[in-house]
Amino acid sequence: MSKRLLLLVIIFVSLLSSTYSRKNPELANFGNRVWLSATTPIHQFMHYFKNSGDSFLQQYVFLLDLKEKNQKLEDRLKNLQTDNTQLKEIEMENARLNTLLKFKRRKKLTSKIANVIAFNTRTSRSLMLIDYGKKQGAKPGQVVIYGNQLLGQIINSSRVSSQVMLINDPLSNVDCLIQESRTRGVASGNLIKGLQWNFVGQQQEFKIGDKVISSGLDGVFPKGLNIGIISHKKKNKNSLFQKVQIAPGVDFFKIETVMIIAGIKQ
Amino acid sequence: MKSLIKFFALSLLLLLLEQTLMNNIWNNLPTLNIIPILILFMAFYKDSLLALLFCCLLGLLRDFIIASLTGPGVAAAAITYFCLNSFSTHLFIKSRLVLFLTAFFSCLLFLYTESLYYYLFLGLTPNHWMILSSSLFSAFFTLLLIPLLRKYFVTDKKL
């Protein structure tokens, strides 16, 4: 078989398999699960290594100059700083968990807490890896939030980890509305540009800085979750709809702990 | 065949490093694409049907990592291999500048072919800035990989 013929066969097969996997994502999901199972321990190790490295830098390397000047003062300072860092960490963790609990109490949700272990920001996707897998009850479609901020939904799970499709992923669509004017639309992910708000008519009036929340009409995300704020809008006479961009309410890369909505209490 | 398995193991290792180490360190910077680089070296040093199938396997791995469609990575890998292999006799790959430019254009070709599939099947428009920056970054990284990959290919002639 010549190389040219084989190339044509491969292109034909790839078109067929793309058409098939568009409707039935099981094959891609199976492969992804295997990949997740293989890479999760490395991600966890990297996460641990990164954190240990940070604390090593904070607690030892940056204090070397002081040690040379005054040993006693440095020792005392080192102890105090160690305590202080630990307390700050506890305080920050407390604040994070408090934010999550407040939302949970208000909405009467059954939920689980998970840690973020990695991000996968490929050229075409925006995904987050969390240490919450099938063992803990993870299922595709479960909603992931931080406080009142919507982060995305679980798309695939291995035994101990899950992949979360963030709301700025190009494949993510959230039915949403402006909190004040109740103008409705669909927010689609646009990677580094945040989210793009589609299907907003030219006659709809709103301003930059308006808060956007989930409408709950898509049947996936609960109503009232924060999505972000209007960051840019442009009217075009030749188009049916306005061009609107939404800036997400949080920087996804700074999130360490997330909450997974497992269900709503009856 | 034995050397192909060896190269597959090396590719897996590099891919694991790219996915875990590189992407953990540089969250906000352009992403590295190791697969087009591996295809580049395959296209220039291994001219066989088996090499083409091996490139498709790498593309399939990328599809599994991205987890949306099964096919874009395979097609992109096959087309990139075929184009590079066709030009392999006309380019002096031992020059660093030529290698850099070839790596840049092979990444562009790979990512745009993949984007074409995503556009056709999911309606996603390609992010030109990310593709360009990622290709440039990968091309720079290729220069770092020269000693490892070229040595492997030059000493191994049995594939």
Side-chain angles (χ1 to χ4, degrees), chain B:
Chain B
M1 192 68 190
K2 200 177 169 186
S3 52
L4 189 72
I5 295 167
K6 256 198 232 169
F7 186 68
F8 186 67
L10 177 74
S11 307
L12 264 183
L13 185 74
L14 287 171
L15 204 60
L16 267 174
L17 281 177
E18 179 217 289
Q19 283 292 314
T20 52
L21 188 73
M22 303 293 186
N23 288 343
N24 264 316
I25 296 171
W26 296 305
N27 270 334
N28 284 316
L29 288 173
T31 48
L32 174 70
N33 282 296
I34 204 84
I35 291 176
I37 301 171
L38 294 167
I39 293 171
L40 185 152
F41 279 89
M42 286 293 279
F44 275 87
Y45 291 99
K46 306 287 174 198
D47 183 18
S48 67
L49 290 180
L50 207 60
L52 177 58
L53 289 173
F54 174 78
C55 290
C56 293
L57 194 64
L58 288 177
L60 188 68
L61 259 176
R62 184 172 161 91
D63 285 337
F64 287 161
I65 295 166
I66 292 177
S68 49
L69 290 176
T70 314
V74 177
I79 291 170
T80 310
Y81 175 85
F82 185 78
C83 292
L84 289 171
N85 190 245
S86 308
F87 283 105
S88 61
T89 48
H90 305 287
L91 292 170
F92 182 63
I93 200 72
K94 283 181 182 169
S95 152
R96 278 169 196 268
L97 181 67
V98 175
L99 183 66
F100 174 79
L101 290 172
T102 316
F104 177 68
F105 285 111
S106 67
C107 283
L108 278 185
L109 179 65
F110 183 89
L111 293 173
Y112 272 113
T113 313
E114 201 181 47
S115 301
L116 180 70
Y117 270 71
Y118 285 114
Y119 179 72
L120 286 175
F121 289 95
L122 299 172
L124 299 178
T125 46
N127 188 329
H128 304 293
W129 163 245
M130 281 187 90
I131 289 177
L132 276 173
S133 58
S134 174
S135 300
L136 203 62
F137 185 58
S138 303
F140 274 115
F141 194 79
T142 310
L143 298 179
L144 295 176
L145 279 181
I146 294 174
L148 176 72
L149 290 175
R150 189 180 279 164
K151 197 178 171 185
Y152 179 87
F153 278 108
V154 171
T155 53
D156 179 63
K157 302 201 186 265
K158 281 190 242 166
L159 191 72

Side-chain angles (χ1 to χ4, degrees), chain A:
Chain A
M1 190 190 270
S2 76
K3 224 177 276 172
R4 201 168 291 177
L5 184 65
L6 183 61
L7 178 73
L8 287 175
V9 172
I10 289 167
I11 292 172
F12 182 68
V13 171
S14 71
L15 284 169
L16 280 182
S17 68
S18 295
T19 314
Y20 178 78
S21 59
R22 169 85 176 87
K23 297 273 176 197
N24 309 285
E26 289 85 17
L27 180 64
N29 282 349
F30 171 74
N32 187 252
R33 265 200 301 279
V34 175
W35 180 259
L36 269 185
S37 307
T39 54
T40 299
I42 306 169
H43 278 301
Q44 280 172 333
F45 173 74
M46 284 298 301
H47 183 66
Y48 171 77
F49 186 73
K50 207 174 164 186
N51 286 352
S52 310
D54 285 349
S55 59
F56 174 74
L57 284 173
Q58 280 169 13
Q59 292 170 19
Y60 184 73
V61 177
F62 295 152
L63 299 178
L64 275 178
D65 288 346
L66 291 173
K67 202 173 182 180
E68 286 168 8
K69 288 175 190 167
N70 193 316
Q71 188 62 48
K72 280 182 185 175
L73 274 175
E74 201 274 335
D75 283 345
R76 192 172 149 76
L77 187 68
K78 205 165 86 175
N79 289 336
L80 284 171
Q81 278 203 327
T82 310
D83 290 348
N84 198 23
T85 312
Q86 282 171 349
L87 280 171
K88 271 185 184 167
E89 277 295 311
I90 291 165
E91 195 186 338
M92 279 161 73
E93 192 180 2
N94 193 22
R96 282 201 302 270
L97 293 174
N98 234 342
T99 325
L100 296 177
L101 274 173
K102 262 185 211 164
F103 180 76
K104 187 182 161 183
R105 278 190 208 121
R106 190 152 54 87
K107 299 276 176 180
K108 291 181 180 171
L109 302 169
T110 51
S111 60
K112 301 276 170 63
I113 304 287
N115 291 312
V116 178
I117 51 175
F119 289 93
N120 187 355
T121 49
R122 309 296 312 157
T123 45
S124 54
R125 302 300 304 265
S126 177
L127 306 167
M128 178 195 264
L129 194 66
I130 54 173
D131 64 349
Y132 170 78
K134 280 181 182 167
K135 200 176 150 190
Q136 290 90 3
K139 282 177 198 160
Q142 283 181 335
V143 178
V144 181
I145 56 173
Y146 175 71
N148 199 23
Q149 172 68 39
L150 175 64
L151 297 180
Q153 60 171 312
I154 291 177
I155 52 165
N156 209 0
S157 305
S158 70
R159 209 175 72 86
V160 289
S161 65
S162 293
Q163 208 155 39
V164 179
M165 177 168 72
L166 297 173
I167 52 172
N168 68 338
D169 185 281
L171 295 182
S172 165
N173 290 298
V174 188
D175 198 291
C176 58
L177 47 88
I178 291 182
Q179 199 168 31
E180 281 182 23
S181 65
R182 314 308 280 181
T183 307
R184 265 195 63 212
V186 176
S188 305
N190 203 1
L191 295 172
I192 47 170
K193 288 179 187 166
L195 291 98
Q196 190 165 319
W197 205 19
N198 302 318
F199 313 121
V200 182
Q202 293 284 356
Q203 73 283 1
Q204 303 286 358
E205 286 300 329
F206 49 87
K207 56 185 186 300
I208 289 171
D210 277 356
K211 200 173 171 184
V212 182
I213 57 168
S214 58
S215 69
L217 292 174
D218 48 27
V220 180
F221 303 106
K223 190 178 178 178
L225 291 170
N226 185 32
I227 290 171
I229 55 162
I230 303 285
S231 59
H232 177 82
K233 66 169 188 168
K234 194 180 175 185
K235 285 189 178 181
N236 187 351
K237 283 178 187 172
N238 302 322
S239 170
L240 274 175
F241 305 110
Q242 296 185 49
K243 201 175 177 183
V244 186
Q245 274 179 11
I246 303 169
V250 287
D251 182 351
F252 298 119
F253 291 124
K254 288 183 181 168
I255 294 170
E256 292 169 27
T257 317
V258 295
M259 188 162 86
I260 299 105
I261 301 177
I264 296 168
K265 275 182 193 165
Q266 297 298 319

